[in-house]
Amino acid sequence: MNKPIMAKATAVWLVDNTTLSFKQIADFCGLHELEVQGIADGDVATGVKGFDPIQNNQLEPIEIERAEKDPFYKLKLKFNAAAVGEEKRRGPRYTPLSKRQDRPAAILWLVKFHPELTDAQISKLVGTTKPTIQSIRERTHWNISNIQPVDPVALGLTKQTELDAAVQKAAAKKAKEGVVMSDDERRKLVSTEQSLGMETEPRIPSAISGLETFSLTGNEEEEETSKEAEIDADSLFNLPESDTDEDEDK
């Protein structure tokens, strides 16, 4: 936990009760310096009640004293043992209300282009439930006819690094299980950067397999035919004598 809870209310309290600089308050609360100045001018956080960080065990009084004496001193958040591991989220991620309507499109995209991902992985990526994923997989969702697949990264439901990590994990699991994957599946199972950097491999359609043998056989037959067609030049001059020549001799 690097920033205090109720950061803006904490900034209001520090502006009203200390002589700290705007930059010191902004750095401690994770705000912009101009935003803190707006709080001091009464243009920002109007009506927000100040939140005492000392009383709420987030800041030591000695930290404020040091910062007031040294304008370059940065306030340090008080260590709270109870908050250790709080950022490690379990279960599906929280999705804002404004983006929840985009989740079916993201699920359909993941199901279509990354079928190797499990329901648990998809649930963790876009913050949905397994029954919803299952209904989209089986195309029994009530609005399936109107859902178009959209990249969840483009929708802001997940990060590209998180998607790549999930895909690589699925690839490692398949490799461990000894599942044979096609070229298309291998291309899907690598990260986006690796996939874009791959060279396009020329592929020979299976329908023309064996043409090499056919062409060689055809050439051999042509050679044999040409050999049979060769005529000895001397044989052209050893023609049988005609009856006319015999009569003349007589």
Side-chain angles (χ1 to χ4, degrees):
M1 208 175 159
N2 298 322
K3 302 299 178 185
I5 60 174
M6 300 181 64
K8 190 166 290 187
T10 301
V12 170
W13 188 93
L14 292 173
V15 167
D16 294 338
N17 296 277
T18 67
T19 59
L20 298 172
S21 66
F22 295 154
K23 181 171 177 55
Q24 287 175 313
I25 298 175
D27 291 341
F28 178 70
C29 298
L31 304 175
H32 194 278
E33 189 174 349
L34 293 177
E35 191 173 3
V36 178
Q37 184 177 352
I39 293 175
D41 295 338
D43 299 329
V44 179
T46 304
V48 176
K49 185 179 180 180
F51 186 77
D52 188 351
I54 298 175
Q55 185 177 358
N56 290 279
N57 202 28
Q58 295 188 94
L59 192 62
E60 294 285 354
I62 192 172
E63 285 290 305
I64 295 178
E65 294 176 6
R66 291 174 181 172
E68 287 177 334
K69 293 177 181 178
D70 183 4
F72 297 101
Y73 183 82
K74 292 186 178 181
L75 295 169
K76 297 178 182 178
L77 190 67
K78 185 177 179 180
F79 175 75
N80 185 4
V84 175
E86 184 177 343
E87 293 183 353
K88 295 181 179 179
R89 174 178 46 82
R90 293 183 177 273
R93 82 171 60 239
Y94 172 76
T95 305
L97 292 173
S98 59
K99 294 183 178 180
R100 290 184 184 180
Q101 59 184 1
D102 298 330
R103 284 189 297 192
I107 297 170
L108 183 59
W109 189 92
L110 292 171
V111 168
K112 181 177 180 180
F113 294 103
H114 291 289
E116 69 280 356
L117 294 175
T118 63
D119 291 355
Q121 287 177 309
I122 296 175
S123 176
K124 189 175 181 181
L125 284 171
V126 299
T128 186
T129 59
K130 291 184 179 180
T132 303
I133 300 171
Q134 195 66 24
S135 65
I136 292 178
R137 281 189 188 276
E138 298 174 354
R139 302 192 66 82
T140 58
H141 190 274
W142 66 272
N143 196 30
I144 191 65
S145 59
N146 298 321
I147 300 175
Q148 297 295 328
V150 184
D151 189 343
V153 177
L155 293 173
L157 293 174
T158 187
K159 298 178 181 178
Q160 186 65 56
T161 54
E162 295 175 340
L163 176 59
D164 290 345
V167 170
Q168 290 174 0
K169 186 176 180 180
K173 185 177 180 181
K174 273 199 169 187
K176 187 177 180 180
E177 293 175 353
V179 178
V180 179
M181 295 176 290
S182 63
D183 293 339
D184 292 336
E185 286 178 329
R186 288 192 185 95
R187 187 173 292 273
K188 288 178 182 178
L189 290 174
V190 298
S191 65
T192 304
E193 295 179 358
Q194 292 173 337
S195 179
L196 292 176
M198 284 183 175
E199 296 182 359
T200 304
E201 298 179 358
R203 300 179 184 177
I204 300 176
S206 59
I208 64 172
S209 60
L211 276 182
E212 297 84 355
T213 307
F214 175 78
S215 61
L216 291 175
T217 305
N219 291 336
E220 292 176 358
E221 291 177 355
E222 289 178 1
E223 290 178 1
E224 292 178 359
T225 305
S226 63
K227 288 179 180 179
E228 292 176 358
E230 290 180 359
I231 302 174
D232 186 7
D234 295 336
S235 64
L236 295 175
F237 297 97
N238 296 328
L239 298 175
E241 295 181 357
S242 61
D243 296 339
T244 307
D245 293 336
E246 293 179 356
D247 295 339
E248 289 178 356
D249 293 339
K250 290 179 181 181

